[in-house]
Amino acid sequence: MKGPITREQIVDGTAMSRRALLQGAGLLLGFALTGASTESVFAAPASRVVENEVTGAFAPNGFIRINPTGGVTLVMPMAEMGQGVYTALSMLLAEELEVKLDQIQVQHAPANDTLYANSFLHIQTTGASSSVRAFWTPLRQAGAVGRNLLIAAAAKCWNVDPATCRAKDGVVFDASASKHLTYGALAKAAAKLPVPPAANVKLKDPKDFALIGTRAKRVDSSIKVDGRALYGIDTRLPGMKVAAVAISPVLGGKAKTVDEKAALAVKGVRQVINIDEAVAVVADHFGAAKKGLKAAIITWDDGPNGKISNADIVKQLEEESQKPGAVARNDGDAGKALAKAAQRLDAIYQVPFLAHAAMEPMNCTVHLQKHRCDIWVGTQAMALTQSLVVELTGLSKDAIKIHNHLIGGGFGRRLEADGTVLAVKIAKHVDGPVKVIWSREEDIQHDMYRPYYFDRLSAALDAAGKPIAWTHRIAGSSITARYIPSWFKDGVDLDAVECAVGPYALPNIHVDYVRVEPPGVRTAFWRGVGPTHNVFVVESFMDELSHAAKQDPVAYRKELLSHNPRALAVLSLAAEKAGWGSQLPARNGRGISVQFAFGSYLSAVAEVEVAADGSVKVKRIVCAVDCGMCVNPDTVEAQVQGGTIFGLSAALHGSITFKDGRVEQSNFDSYLPMRIDEVPVVETHLIRNAEAPGGIGEAPTAIVSAAVTNAIFAATGKRVRSLPIDTDSLKSSS
């Protein structure tokens, strides 16, 4: 058998996989969820998404392929990791192309910055909650160009004015509707017509949208339910070996001793590869590779970071945060206002390192040959991954083929290509394809973590309790200086300071940033990026100000948002739907937060109960959302639910700590996600308008922690200034 194992082979039983049970048990459920055939909407199995298989007689731009049978393929520029972009972006194209959503097949785009760069990040990257924002116009334009060319081809065939023709559901009709031609029948003729500039094509008026704004079913639901969806970890190739890896437990360390003889004695083990920072055991299957790795009994030279502890890192941050930083914002004279304040408040807030802990651990399959390198992986950063492999192998870009997959959880982790780089290093020593799989422990203990931030805030209140000055100093490592240098300007990390004041009108503001790079720790973007820490800090401190002023937290915020009707609207709606101000039992409380981030406005109200032993039960989250033009309300609601739970997991449990240079957490027993019995009711209320679409994938993660900690204060009178929540400090004294 040649080539990768296909979906069809898995379904008909010629290749066995762990998905067999899902495929049998999930078939009827998949049918029920989609209300249609369970046949995949993909043009090819996910493990075979490559550019040279995306063909079509009609290809007017990088996004559309239409073949003579009428099949419409969207070459998908962004990665799907559960956030729903395969559906939302398909809706954008379908709306203007005038086809039904179920007529569109999806294939992932090849690495190509020229055709598929994200306009927000300027590279082919899925991140910053920007997929819909970045492709809102380009994909609609692509669809409109395609529709107009197909109509023009039909009109030419009938010798009529194109303006008298119309398209619907993949068919072009003449004025009388007595003549019609399918897109498939027109594909070859349309391909011969000159393609007009996309900017010159008129787009639909939003009032005429038939698909955008409706509750569309996910195009990838059925294959995920019945097990046909293929992720990077599912890659199977003829002659493929599988490698288990052990990476130095301390950053900068290397292997000192490896018992290769014992590893090779394990049945099925073929090779032991020592590349200094990691040891890989290559075997016929993963079970043998794991046993071989255990038998190798590796000892490590820890290198320069072997004594690093969390206390060292926090001490460094605390000391550096006392020094002035690079100025990110300076309105008015905050220092003068603080000196003359009727009341002054000061606070220190801290948030910890956080791991991504996606369900699909890091993995990558590589087939490195003399003149080419094929890589099967789930990545958020196609072009970056390709460029790093070019550096590593010396091959040209054209020789590096990235076969992208559905991603079993990204959260920013798959923006990094370190897993692929490691796999390529291992593949250099392997004859034939090799799949490298990280264990859960390796995945968590060798993550690239959300930075630890140490924040100092001060505020001045006038005699009426209104804030007249605000200072905020942020100390932490800079991700953008490494990853997006253009976002690191004059010593300021633009991500680290995003939302550092919030959407409020204040007369005197000073925000500065102190870059502090902790030794022995790699930091990276984490779902919600900079706002995950700043919204917690700002909304918690704003709550402190309202209580110091002896005012209701909602009323206090409303006065400061009178200039911002969209922020005021979500705040008011969330408070109303949550029953703000109504009576609650003892040690129960409500807390609120509001934010503008990723182009969207959100407000969340949390309702919590704090038991006498200090344990916190989040009972209800009410979220009001204004994300502008809402492409698919179902997706927005799903993201609010998922993002809320992701943020709650961090607020209640999340913390990565170091001892002797090593990460102390290793699996879901020590780095806890929320358990099902902890999950609250999550309500989503959408404000519909015609504003440009905002991002939603990360926004709920950023907003929820402050709402919860403010609710804890309302329930107990105890202020939470660091995460995760210390339940011991919340114990009742009575």
Side-chain angles (χ1 to χ4, degrees):
M1 182 170 59
K2 296 182 179 180
I5 291 175
T6 67
R7 181 197 68 209
E8 290 77 17
Q9 290 165 343
I10 292 174
V11 171
D12 70 18
T14 59
M16 295 300 293
S17 81
R18 62 186 171 82
R19 290 172 143 60
L21 179 62
L22 272 176
Q23 289 164 342
L27 189 62
L28 291 178
L29 180 57
F31 184 89
L33 286 176
T34 59
S37 165
T38 55
E39 178 61 25
S40 169
V41 301
F42 293 93
S47 60
R48 296 175 61 204
V49 179
V50 292
E51 185 174 29
N52 60 10
E53 293 186 21
V54 182
T55 59
F58 180 56
N61 48 57
F63 301 110
I64 300 173
R65 305 288 183 266
I66 299 178
N67 63 37
T69 66
V72 180
T73 298
L74 166 58
V75 183
M76 178 62 65
M78 296 287 97
E80 175 65 78
M81 47 192 164
Q83 78 278 39
V85 294
Y86 272 14
T87 306
L89 297 190
S90 294
M91 292 171 73
L92 299 184
L93 183 72
E95 182 70 69
E96 294 286 353
L97 188 57
E98 287 292 359
V99 295
K100 294 179 180 178
L101 186 58
D102 61 9
Q103 290 177 269
I104 289 185
Q105 300 174 324
V106 178
Q107 287 192 336
H108 210 287
N112 189 320
D113 272 341
T114 302
L115 290 178
Y116 305 115
N118 179 316
S119 61
F120 278 75
L121 304 174
H122 307 296
I123 53 176
Q124 188 183 358
T125 296
T126 307
S129 295
S130 61
S131 293
V132 170
R133 291 189 289 164
F135 291 95
W136 167 249
T137 298
L139 276 174
R140 288 187 301 133
Q141 288 177 333
V145 166
R147 182 192 72 237
N148 286 354
L149 287 170
L150 290 159
I151 288 174
K156 186 175 181 180
C157 176
W158 298 325
N159 196 27
V160 299
D161 183 352
T164 65
C165 302
R166 65 183 180 89
K168 183 175 176 60
D169 298 341
V171 180
V172 179
F173 299 88
D174 72 351
S176 66
S178 60
K179 295 180 181 178
H180 65 273
L181 288 168
T182 66
Y183 282 4
L186 292 166
K188 290 183 178 179
K192 297 176 182 178
L193 300 177
V195 179
N200 293 352
V201 177
K202 185 178 180 181
L203 300 177
K204 283 186 180 181
D205 189 302
K207 67 180 175 56
D208 297 323
F209 286 159
L211 184 58
I212 292 173
T214 65
R215 293 182 177 275
K217 294 170 183 174
R218 291 278 292 266
V219 300
D220 52 350
S221 291
S222 64
I223 60 169
K224 289 180 176 177
V225 169
D226 66 24
R228 285 174 295 143
L230 298 178
Y231 297 82
I233 204 167
D234 297 315
T235 300
R236 299 177 67 185
L237 303 169
M240 183 183 77
K241 299 294 187 292
V242 181
V245 293
I247 305 169
S248 170
V250 179
L251 187 65
K254 62 182 180 179
K256 187 162 54 177
T257 64
V258 181
D259 192 339
E260 292 190 22
K261 185 176 180 181
L264 290 168
V266 175
K267 184 179 179 181
V269 171
R270 303 300 177 186
Q271 288 177 263
V272 178
I273 300 168
N274 185 347
I275 53 173
D276 290 335
E277 77 269 24
V279 174
V281 173
V282 181
D284 294 334
H285 55 83
F286 191 55
K290 284 183 67 178
K291 289 179 182 178
L293 195 61
K294 184 177 181 180
I297 312 176
I298 305 163
T299 63
W300 300 94
D301 177 350
D302 290 347
N305 298 315
K307 299 299 182 183
I308 297 297
S309 70
N310 234 57
D312 298 327
I313 293 169
V314 175
K315 182 181 178 182
Q316 178 192 25
L317 284 162
E318 182 177 15
E319 290 174 350
E320 293 298 316
S321 72
Q322 297 180 48
K323 304 173 184 176
V327 177
R329 183 172 175 181
N330 190 35
D331 301 346
D333 191 334
K336 184 178 179 180
L338 281 166
K340 296 182 177 181
Q343 187 177 3
R344 173 175 174 152
L345 282 82
D346 302 286
I348 292 174
Y349 280 83
Q350 300 177 61
V351 296
F353 294 112
L354 293 173
H356 299 84
M359 285 303 298
E360 181 189 10
M362 296 291 282
N363 64 88
C364 181
T365 300
V366 180
H367 190 189
L368 180 60
Q369 302 173 73
K370 184 176 181 180
H371 297 299
R372 67 176 287 154
C373 181
D374 285 87
I375 294 171
W376 291 263
V377 69
T379 175
Q380 296 174 241
M382 289 277 286
L384 172 67
T385 299
Q386 185 187 54
S387 65
L388 289 175
V389 176
V390 166
E391 292 179 16
L392 196 60
T393 63
L395 296 171
S396 67
K397 274 190 176 184
D398 290 342
I400 310 296
K401 302 298 181 184
I402 309 293
H403 308 256
N404 210 6
H405 287 63
L406 294 169
I407 301 173
F411 315 126
R413 181 64 180 100
R414 262 69 174 187
L415 286 169
E416 304 293 343
D418 56 307
T420 298
V421 167
L422 178 60
V424 172
K425 288 180 179 179
I426 293 167
K428 285 184 174 183
H429 302 274
V430 179
D431 184 15
V434 58
K435 175 162 64 175
V436 180
I437 303 176
W438 298 26
S439 67
R440 177 70 59 201
E441 289 76 13
E442 293 295 322
D443 188 81
I444 289 178
Q445 295 186 315
H446 298 89
D447 201 343
M448 299 180 73
Y449 306 102
R450 199 281 304 272
Y452 194 116
Y453 288 106
F454 194 101
D455 292 33
R456 295 180 181 272
L457 295 98
S458 298
L461 306 183
D462 63 17
K466 186 175 182 179
I468 56 172
W470 177 286
T471 68
H472 186 176
R473 176 170 298 156
I474 299 161
S477 62
S478 173
I479 304 165
T480 65
R482 171 183 64 85
Y483 198 91
I484 312 176
S486 63
W487 287 17
F488 187 79
K489 297 180 179 179
D490 301 321
V492 176
D493 183 311
L494 298 182
D495 172 61
V497 302
E498 186 177 357
C499 300
V501 176
Y504 303 105
L506 303 172
N508 301 287
I509 298 169
H510 184 87
V511 178
D512 60 0
Y513 168 73
V514 179
R515 183 181 180 185
V516 185
E517 298 297 341
V521 185
R522 302 184 306 171
T523 60
F525 296 119
W526 184 89
R527 184 177 185 179
V529 291
T532 62
H533 111 269
N534 280 325
V535 174
F536 164 65
V537 171
V538 168
E539 285 302 295
S540 297
F541 195 50
M542 187 59 70
D543 224 57
E544 291 198 48
L545 302 191
S546 71
H547 286 280
K550 296 182 172 56
Q551 296 182 30
D552 174 79
V554 170
Y556 194 75
R557 286 172 170 82
K558 282 184 176 181
E559 186 174 350
L560 299 174
L561 292 172
S562 59
H563 70 294
N564 192 329
R566 294 178 72 184
L568 184 60
V570 291
L571 175 70
S572 300
L573 182 60
E576 174 196 339
K577 296 297 184 181
W580 187 268
S582 61
Q583 193 67 32
L584 290 172
R587 293 186 70 81
N588 282 249
R590 292 189 189 93
I592 196 157
S593 59
V594 64
Q595 73 181 32
F596 174 64
F598 311 105
S600 294
Y601 292 85
L602 274 75
S603 183
V605 175
E607 187 175 313
V608 308
E609 179 180 4
V610 184
D613 66 357
S615 61
V616 176
K617 174 66 176 178
V618 182
K619 300 167 74 174
R620 183 186 181 206
I621 300 291
V622 178
C623 191
V625 179
D626 174 1
C627 59
M629 182 65 70
C630 183
V631 176
N632 187 349
D634 276 0
T635 297
V636 173
E637 291 173 4
Q639 285 301 288
V640 170
Q641 292 166 357
T644 293
I645 293 169
F646 199 80
L648 283 175
S649 288
L652 295 172
H653 306 303
S655 181
I656 289 293
T657 57
F658 291 81
K659 182 179 180 181
D660 295 329
R662 291 159 167 78
V663 172
E664 295 185 281
Q665 295 70 31
S666 61
N667 209 314
F668 290 136
D669 59 339
S670 50
Y671 189 78
L672 298 175
M674 288 192 82
R675 273 30 179 188
I676 195 166
D677 62 332
E678 297 178 285
V679 175
V681 173
V682 179
E683 300 175 20
T684 305
H685 301 276
L686 300 178
I687 294 177
R688 302 291 192 100
N689 57 47
E691 299 287 344
I696 198 64
E698 295 168 280
T701 299
I703 199 169
V704 69
S705 57
V708 170
T709 56
N710 290 339
I712 289 171
F713 178 81
T716 66
K718 296 179 180 179
R719 183 65 65 184
V720 177
R721 289 189 178 134
S722 63
L723 296 177
I725 295 161
D726 178 9
T727 55
D728 285 342
S729 69
L730 303 177
K731 291 180 179 178
S732 174
S733 57
S734 58

